[in-house]
Amino acid sequence: MFYKALMLLALGSLSAHGASVCPATAPAGAWGLEYQVSASQSGAEPRQVQLLRRGAQTALYSPEHQMAEWWHFEDPKRPGFSRVFDQQQRRIDYYMGDLRALGVQAQQEEVESFAARHLLGQLTKQGSSPCEHAERYQGEINGVSYDLLWSPVLAAPLAIVTRKGEVERRWQADKLLGKDAVNARFATWQRYRETDFADIGDMENDPFLAKMINQGFIEHREHAVYNDQGQPLATGHSH
Amino acid sequence: MKKIPQVMSALGAAVATALVAMAADAAVLPTTQTDSSWYQDGAAAVAAKVAQARNTGTAKNIIFFVGDGMGVSTLTAARIYQGQQAGNSGEENRLSFETFPYSALSKTYSVNQQTPDSAPTMTAMITGVKTEDGMLSVSADSIRGNCLSSQGNELKTALELAEDRGKSTGIVSTARITHATPAATYAHTPERDWEADSNLTAEAVANGCHDIAYQLVMDAPGDGLEVALGGGRSYFLPNTVTDGEGAKGRRKDGNDLTAKWSEQFTNAAYVWNQAQFDAIDVTKTDHLLGLFEASHMQYEADRADDTAGEPSLAEMTSKAIDMLAKNDKGYFLMVEGGRIDHAHHAGNAARALADTVALSDAVKAALGKVDLEDTLIIVSADHSHTFTIAGYPARGNPILGLVHEPNDEAIAVNAATADDGLPYTTLGYANGPGAKQGARSDLSGIDTTDVDFLQQAQVPMGSETHAAEDVAIYATGPGAYLFQGNVEQNVIFHVMNQAGALGGSKY
């Protein structure tokens, strides 16, 4: 009963906020969604994460950390990947061989959909939606209950609420970013000093890269709905 | 492979010596011992050593293979890996160069670091002088990243000496040909990162330092290198150009160095994919530039999946020798297995081993084309990695697999477990991406032989690091006998200089 009550609370929240962004058509060229990400765990502060899309390029950007994970799927079988560090104006580029050597297997549609595409086939589509141009899906997978508000025109979620036990996580799109903002950000990142991931181990003299070597890459998993292997957190297994 | 006359002439004597020795041993040793294949093979090996004649002649040609990051543990694991790929237990296998008659250990420390990077180590091997980390063929009197400080401190390389002697020269690498190891053969720079002009500092530009790609084409020694094959295309193309595989150039100066290559040299050709590489007629081409990737070439394990196709290290080596051997005065060729290092940095043993086997195949290809009477072949590494082969796996246990101890009943079923109750792999790293914060992952049910598996590591790091222990040197051909015992890494240059009469100094 307690679980059901929490579910209703969660769904009620989604209904209340689900329509703040609900486009009827996808903006031409480039667009982005800014999500508010929060968790019910004590001490977990709400954070922002942006999903930026332009053609075959998708980036997940954390304004708080000023870091992005930027995917290129011009050749879907051989994606390119960059970690972007705004503060240092640096970029780490991963070629296909680097991703393979690290065991990273990213699916284009999962990255582009904020890792929600896999949920559609496993959840039940609801008859009503808080948004005229969005579809609502609900259900439970592996003990996690989901409430998903999906935008068919963007092929991305407008909101996701998950609950496992007493822990609730929510991703809520509250702003649609226009093409100028997205293009400007991609152009800025393109100008950053780039380093191939394969070269990092040989460049311990570079203070920025030395930090990468010694401390690894900061994974902002609290923002992402996929893990550091590029797999949706709710599915898959990585070694 | 062509035969070494003095070794062949001694073969009959060697066999006779072995038989005499075994006959004498028979008087004091039981037949259980002397009939053993281990015993007989060992005796034959010693007899061959006894019969071995030193080739003190001059090396008309020198081929120097460098496995980047190919430490001794990598050689052992690759040897087993290759043997098991062929369906054998593996341990008895030998990489192509492990059959060479002479070997030594090389101390790899640089002037300022216990554990070095590829820049000072290749500088030591190619110039005879150790320098500081990050610097290519300039002395330690230079300051890293400071152009002015390096001027006047340039060190002449074995490749440049060969050019001065009228020999043909070449470099081959699976890494970028502007990367530290190949670059140290032809470039002089206080910063290995200056691969394109866009990497130069304002001070470097103001003081007239040129980037490494520019040096290869525009500041080339002698009449220019005859062969340069590998990766790094983007460092040769303007940033306004997108190459045939969709990558942008990195040059800000507008120079298309691939075009300059053809303008600069006679009978020159530039290729960037497998088909173009295959179509090159070596009889009509005197200067060949091949850039098969925007950055490093593919790992050998992934090479077949490349967009435009790219040649193997063995294919590049073979074509390079065909190109260089046209010169009656001989040649100097450096071949790097450049991606062994990168796979190790990623904590991915399978790719590191596959690329080590690719280097072994390249050596084999060279052996099939040269006469060891006048060609010195050296195989070594710049530095090692924190790569380990551990536990007590049974003979023939899959080298990439979990450790199964030599217990007849359990070997096929149960993996050995550590104190934490979890199984472990034979191969591991002291540090790197394969480490976890906290408890180790349970590898039960995980396919650790998968090419993408990251071996577990002790210390969590974003990139696995180099290691400081000695690496091996293997040699055959004229002057090879000079490699004995434990030597400083810069001794390699002096052997090449001596054996090849390169004129760097008189001995």
Side-chain angles (χ1 to χ4, degrees), chain A residues 78 95 97-98 100-103 105 193-194 196 198-199 201-205 212-214 216 237 239, chain B residues 113 144 176 179 193 250 295-296 299 302 305 341-342 345 348 351 446 452-454 461-463 466:
Chain A
R78 300 175 186 83
Y95 286 78
D98 302 323
R100 286 172 166 166
L102 290 168
Q105 297 167 349
R193 180 183 168 191
E194 78 277 26
D196 288 1
D199 293 326
D202 289 321
M203 302 180 76
E204 77 289 346
N205 223 270
M212 297 293 104
I213 294 168
N214 293 324
H237 175 77
H239 47 72
Chain B
Q113 291 198 193
R144 182 171 184 175
R176 298 189 296 266
H179 208 235
D193 193 34
R250 295 174 188 244
S295 184
H296 304 294
Y299 287 110
D302 306 322
D305 192 34
D341 179 66
H342 298 148
H345 279 308
N348 180 212
R351 280 183 173 79
I446 300 296
D452 294 335
F453 178 75
L454 299 192
M461 282 186 164
S463 178
H466 296 174

Side-chain angles (χ1 to χ4, degrees), chain B residues 85-309:
Chain B
Q85 297 285 98
N88 302 314
S89 58
E91 296 82 1
E92 71 295 330
N93 184 52
R94 298 177 100 181
L95 298 169
S96 62
F97 48 86
E98 291 183 311
T99 61
F100 286 5
Y102 297 97
S103 61
L105 288 173
S106 168
K107 295 157 70 176
T108 65
Y109 67 93
S110 68
V111 166
N112 66 325
Q113 291 198 193
Q114 210 165 54
T115 305
D117 79 305
S118 302
T121 50
M122 189 58 182
T123 297
M125 293 191 283
I126 207 71
T127 71
V129 177
K130 290 203 180 203
T131 192
E132 294 188 0
D133 273 45
M135 302 198 293
L136 299 175
S137 294
V138 296
S139 78
D141 290 334
S142 311
I143 300 167
R144 182 171 184 175
N146 183 281
C147 168
L148 192 60
S149 72
S150 69
Q151 291 174 344
N153 288 319
E154 294 87 354
L155 304 167
K156 196 145 190 167
T157 72
L159 182 146
E160 290 169 322
L161 288 172
E163 278 286 336
D164 289 349
R165 308 294 281 189
K167 294 177 184 291
S168 292
T169 60
I171 54 166
V172 171
S173 178
T174 48
R176 298 189 296 266
I177 59 173
T178 51
H179 208 235
T181 303
T185 65
Y186 61 83
H188 306 271
T189 173
E191 176 52 65
R192 59 174 287 173
D193 193 34
W194 292 351
E195 294 182 61
D197 68 308
S198 52
N199 302 124
L200 292 171
T201 61
E203 185 275 334
V205 174
N207 285 311
C209 277
H210 291 156
D211 64 270
I212 294 168
Y214 188 93
Q215 288 189 49
L216 173 62
V217 179
M218 306 302 287
D219 302 335
D223 65 351
L225 277 67
E226 278 67 27
V227 181
L229 299 172
R233 192 166 52 222
S234 64
Y235 294 81
F236 291 77
L237 295 174
N239 56 14
T240 52
V241 170
T242 300
D243 69 24
E245 290 184 305
K248 274 200 165 183
R250 295 174 188 244
R251 302 198 65 81
K252 287 200 301 189
D253 61 8
N255 276 322
D256 180 344
L257 293 176
T258 63
K260 296 278 186 191
W261 175 273
S262 297
E263 293 169 16
Q264 196 82 347
F265 306 120
T266 54
N267 297 327
Y270 163 65
V271 297
W272 63 271
N273 61 38
Q274 177 86 56
Q276 292 174 349
F277 173 83
D278 292 341
I280 284 291
D281 182 348
V282 297
T283 64
K284 296 176 181 171
T285 308
D286 293 332
H287 294 269
L288 175 61
L289 174 66
L291 300 170
F292 303 104
E293 278 288 334
S295 184
H296 304 294
M297 289 178 69
Q298 300 286 347
Y299 287 110
E300 177 60 26
D302 306 322
R303 190 169 56 80
D305 192 34
D306 181 55
T307 305

Side-chain angles (χ1 to χ4, degrees), chain B residues 5-20:
Chain B
Q6 61 267 53
V7 172
M8 290 306 296
S9 65
L11 191 60
V15 173
T17 304
L19 292 174
V20 169

Side-chain angles (χ1 to χ4, degrees), chain B residues 386-407:
Chain B
T386 73
F387 184 57
T388 64
I389 308 173
Y392 297 102
R395 171 86 184 267
N397 196 65
I399 189 64
L400 293 167
L402 296 171
V403 169
H404 288 80
E405 293 173 347
N407 178 320

Side-chain angles (χ1 to χ4, degrees), chain A residues 164-204:
Chain A
K164 185 172 186 180
E166 296 182 15
V167 178
E168 179 189 283
R169 293 180 182 277
R170 62 178 59 227
W171 293 263
Q172 178 85 38
D174 66 352
K175 190 188 293 183
L176 183 63
L177 305 172
K179 67 176 181 182
D180 290 346
V182 175
N183 284 336
R185 195 168 290 284
F186 281 176
T188 300
W189 293 346
Q190 192 64 52
R191 287 194 294 270
Y192 287 171
R193 180 183 168 191
E194 78 277 26
T195 304
D196 288 1
F197 172 77
D199 293 326
I200 287 173
D202 289 321
M203 302 180 76
E204 77 289 346

